Amino acid sequence: MEKFYVTTAIDYVNASPHIGHAYEKIAADVLARFHRIRGKDVFFLTGVDEHGIKVERTAAAAGKSPQEFVDEMSAKFKAAWEKLNVVPDRFIRTTEDEHKKVVQEMFRRMQEKGDIYKSSYTGHYCEGCEDFVRERDLDEQGNCPNHKKPPRQVSEENYFFKLSKYKDAIRKWMTEDPSRVQPDGRRKEVLNQLEDPEVTDFSVSRSKNSLKWGIPVPGDEDQVIYVWIDALTNYFTGGGGFEGNGYWPATLHLVGKDIIKFHCIYWPAMLMAAGVELPAGVFAHGFITVEGQKISKSLGNVIDPIALVEQYGADAVRYSLFSGSAFDQDGDFSGKELIRRVNSELANNVGNLLNRSLTLVDKNCGGKIPDCQPENLVRKQANLIHETVDEHMKKYDFSGAINAILALVDQANKYMNDEKPWTLFKEGKQKEGEEVLFTCLEVLRRTAMNLYPFTPELSQKMWYQLGYDDEVGKIGDSIRDDGFFDLIPAGQTVRNQGPIFKRIEDGDGGTDGDKAGSEVAKSAKGKK
Ligand code: ME8
């Protein structure tokens, strides 16, 4: 069976999860579900990044021990993903013993290869980035351009990794197969960074005086392993580490656009030094803004994904995040847009097609799927939807996949309006009426399957109403070798249980979605 091992970045636990973190985790879950129903052996890893200065400081400020603090915070991240129906095969924490051992072994192997040496260093360290910032990249006030805070002057003796030795090999890795780093614009960006002489050997440890909360350097009590070495290695730990569990190398590392340097330069170089196979690919997604603004605590727009799910439901949040904007570019979240899309696209277009079809089947076909094989344009389009969705998903074009499914649903709704099966039945044209219904039911079956990665609950409800007793998420288990899914079975009894998706009404009974969105932001703020 073909394997698909997908990972996400692991989130820092110094603050609560926000919608930007959720966006990435849902995307990985969408891919995991998509490949699973296509019959692949999927392993989906996500988790949290628990070491480092930021976490150490935040724990101290909260009057807690680092361990106590990360235990609480990790549970919050886990709970948020559960609420969103994000179901990883493993939720990794970098404080796990198993991970610590893999990181230390990784370090040892890099050392054995002669790629780690001791040297002293002076630089500007930004705790927000958990990285050194170059002097010329600081803004006019001398602040880190990303975190708008002054970096600390750090001067100490550390272990260094010989990145310089691997630059040519990394360039080759990224150019000989351009699909390894996507989108292409990001690949070019990293290739440019690679040419920068300042992207060179880097420090891979801190002295215990400056950082205690981390994994000790094997054989040196005074040094702690630098947070990025620790964090990146989580992907390898998840893949079974040096013992293996059959999933490494990862098929895909899904990460935000801000951390591609670490994933496309540091990580492959580390793996080469440790003699470990490289991942098949990295994809960098865009950033989510909230109502046009960068997510920031000071703006008070840090939307708590749990509050959002409580207000709108998991499917609505998942769907609205990916239906509107391109995954490889920045996108915006607004309550108004969520309500508009969910009401018009899911409740109206998909919901109406299902409801009308099932009502007519109940009234005119004894509640059973009619036995026929009509040939018409809508059926032809329906037969193509699988391939079309595959094409979009292969390119991580989630909104393209959703739009193709919705276009088919629109086409079927229009077809029903034009053919008027209710009139056909009235006129005694039973066969013609059944053919129209069968066509629409086939579209609905395919819609349930193809929307499933985005809206698992809605799809399961559709599946059940179409008369299936199994789970739509398990169809991959019985997929035929030729990848063809059987037709909706004639004679299967449908179960019309009313709307699968209720229209979202705003609190005021109006359509002021923006207000709804900011209510969530407010309630999220109030909880802190
Ligand atoms: O970078 N929109 O952790 P992190 C979309 N621990 N994605 C966003 C986002 C937004 N507004 N804000 C953040 C770290 N992200 C490291 C990763 S991996 C070995 C270690 C994404 O909590 C961000 O791009 O700062 C990253 O992929 C993830 O959330 C975690 O960010």
Side-chain angles (χ1 to χ4, degrees):
M1 215 201 261
E2 198 183 334
K3 290 191 172 66
F4 182 78
Y5 174 20
V6 59
T7 69
T8 68
I10 49 172
D11 306 316
Y12 287 127
V13 293
N14 59 305
S16 296
H18 61 58
I19 188 122
H21 299 133
Y23 181 66
E24 181 180 277
K25 282 30 177 200
I26 300 169
D29 186 73
V30 164
L31 287 169
R33 289 177 190 268
F34 171 78
H35 287 286
R36 217 166 252 141
I37 62 166
R38 294 294 199 266
K40 289 199 190 152
D41 175 11
V42 172
F43 190 72
F44 165 24
L45 178 79
T46 190
V48 278
D49 194 351
E50 301 189 317
H51 289 128
I53 290 174
K54 257 196 295 197
V55 172
E56 192 173 63
R57 291 255 161 95
T58 321
K64 294 187 173 147
S65 74
Q67 190 63 54
E68 201 184 344
F69 179 74
V70 298
D71 286 348
E72 276 176 28
M73 293 303 288
S74 298
K76 274 198 189 179
F77 278 83
K78 218 173 162 196
W81 307 156
E82 275 166 23
K83 278 264 182 190
L84 280 158
N85 283 330
V86 168
V87 187
D89 294 289
R90 176 160 177 194
F91 182 88
I92 194 168
R93 299 180 52 185
T94 52
T95 51
E96 288 170 18
D97 281 345
E98 186 193 340
H99 174 69
K100 289 183 191 165
K101 282 188 198 130
V102 177
V103 171
Q104 289 184 325
E105 183 56 25
M106 190 87 160
F107 197 94
R108 241 180 252 121
R109 291 194 187 204
M110 289 158 72
Q111 232 168 358
E112 250 171 44
K113 189 83 169 278
D115 290 341
I116 283 184
Y117 60 93
K118 231 175 177 182
S119 177
S120 57
Y121 187 79
T122 303
H124 306 281
Y125 193 76
C126 169
E127 287 170 9
C129 300
E130 292 280 14
D131 194 17
F132 286 95
V133 193
R134 296 178 305 189
E135 179 120 34
R136 65 177 142 108
D137 287 337
L138 300 177
D139 68 14
E140 281 167 9
Q141 286 77 40
N143 290 333
C144 159
N146 288 328
H147 295 90
K148 307 285 174 221
K149 281 189 187 150
R152 272 188 319 129
Q153 271 283 340
V154 170
S155 184
E156 55 180 45
E157 184 162 70
N158 297 139
Y159 288 96
F160 276 70
F161 172 54
K162 272 191 201 162
L163 176 70
S164 49
K165 180 174 156 188
Y166 293 97
K167 283 178 97 167
D168 287 343
I170 293 166
R171 191 177 300 110
K172 185 163 172 249
W173 177 73
M174 258 190 277
T175 41
E176 71 186 3
D177 179 355
S179 75
R180 284 179 178 148
V181 177
Q182 292 185 58
D184 208 50
R186 298 276 168 220
R187 188 177 68 95
K188 290 185 178 128
E189 191 183 313
V190 191
L191 279 168
N192 279 339
Q193 285 179 346
L194 203 57
E195 299 311 317
D196 183 339
E198 285 188 41
V199 173
T200 184
D201 298 2
F202 63 95
S203 138
V204 289
S205 71
R206 292 283 171 279
S207 87
K208 273 231 170 106
N209 296 332
S210 56
L211 172 69
K212 286 183 188 58
W213 186 236
I215 302 173
V217 167
D220 187 341
E221 285 298 297
D222 297 330
Q223 295 270 323
V224 164
I225 295 175
Y226 173 52
V227 61
W228 274 98
I229 300 292
D230 168 355
L232 289 161
T233 303
N234 92 85
Y235 306 130
F236 186 52
T237 309
F242 291 94
E243 276 146 39
N245 61 7
Y247 287 105
W248 189 262
T251 321
L252 174 71
H253 292 319
L254 197 58
V255 299
K257 62 177 186 178
D258 56 330
I259 53 175
I260 44 172
K261 175 180 93 181
F262 302 103
H263 285 81
C264 303
I265 299 180
Y266 287 18
W267 180 226
M270 280 170 61
L271 290 168
M272 287 176 196
V276 176
E277 216 179 321
L278 266 54
V282 177
F283 183 90
H285 60 78
F287 261 40
I288 285 287
T289 52
V290 171
E291 280 155 29
Q293 287 180 307
K294 195 176 163 202
I295 300 172
S296 107
K297 260 193 201 165
S298 49
L299 288 173
N301 65 352
V302 182
I303 293 187
D304 171 4
I306 295 189
L308 213 51
V309 174
E310 280 165 2
Q311 185 163 3
Y312 301 117
D315 278 351
V317 179
R318 294 172 67 108
Y319 180 81
S320 70
L321 280 173
F322 295 105
S323 55
S325 45
F327 186 48
D328 60 352
Q329 283 157 37
D330 291 347
D332 190 52
F333 175 84
S334 89
K336 186 173 185 168
E337 191 55 11
L338 177 149
I339 293 176
R340 192 190 67 72
R341 282 195 173 273
V342 164
N343 282 349
S344 90
E345 294 164 10
L346 297 183
N348 289 357
N349 293 8
V350 180
N352 281 353
L353 184 66
L354 181 74
N355 195 256
R356 293 202 290 169
S357 303
L358 297 190
T359 305
L360 287 165
V361 168
D362 276 342
K363 211 169 151 196
N364 304 287
C365 313
K368 292 191 190 309
I369 306 283
D371 189 1
C372 54
Q373 289 277 339
E375 278 183 29
N376 56 51
L377 190 65
V378 179
R379 274 217 60 204
K380 265 196 204 130
Q381 296 295 336
N383 288 341
L384 290 177
I385 191 67
H386 244 66
E387 276 173 41
T388 312
V389 167
D390 278 355
E391 284 303 311
H392 287 294
M393 295 300 280
K394 235 188 265 164
K395 293 185 283 186
Y396 306 98
D397 175 11
F398 294 172
S399 56
I402 290 176
N403 287 336
I405 304 165
L406 288 181
L408 178 65
V409 172
D410 279 345
Q411 207 184 353
N413 267 321
K414 185 172 176 303
Y415 166 75
M416 190 186 275
N417 291 346
D418 292 347
E419 298 295 321
K420 302 187 177 49
W422 46 90
T423 311
L424 294 172
F425 288 119
K426 238 184 243 162
E427 290 170 353
K429 294 178 180 156
Q430 184 69 18
K431 180 171 167 283
E432 287 83 348
E434 286 183 357
E435 287 186 348
V436 177
L437 292 189
F438 184 89
T439 302
C440 294
L441 291 161
E442 257 298 287
V443 167
L444 285 160
R445 180 184 69 96
R446 288 173 181 274
T447 302
M449 290 184 334
N450 284 300
L451 272 186
Y452 165 77
F454 302 98
T455 55
E457 286 176 18
L458 170 86
S459 289
Q460 182 54 38
K461 279 190 203 153
M462 288 177 76
W463 203 242
Y464 181 80
Q465 294 205 13
L466 289 170
Y468 289 99
D469 291 318
D470 57 353
E471 286 174 45
V472 62
K474 298 261 169 75
I475 55 177
D477 297 350
S478 54
I479 192 172
R480 292 174 5 186
D481 283 348
D482 57 5
F484 184 82
F485 294 90
D486 290 318
L487 292 175
I488 190 160
Q492 178 161 288
T493 307
V494 301
R495 307 173 177 112
N496 189 357
Q497 298 191 317
I500 36 156
F501 214 99
K502 290 208 178 75
R503 282 180 64 81
I504 299 176
E505 299 299 337
D506 188 76
D508 296 339
T511 52
D512 186 5
D514 270 339
K515 185 167 174 296
S518 42
E519 284 304 317
V520 169
K522 243 188 268 163
S523 68
K525 250 174 98 187
K527 277 187 184 164
K528 288 206 187 108

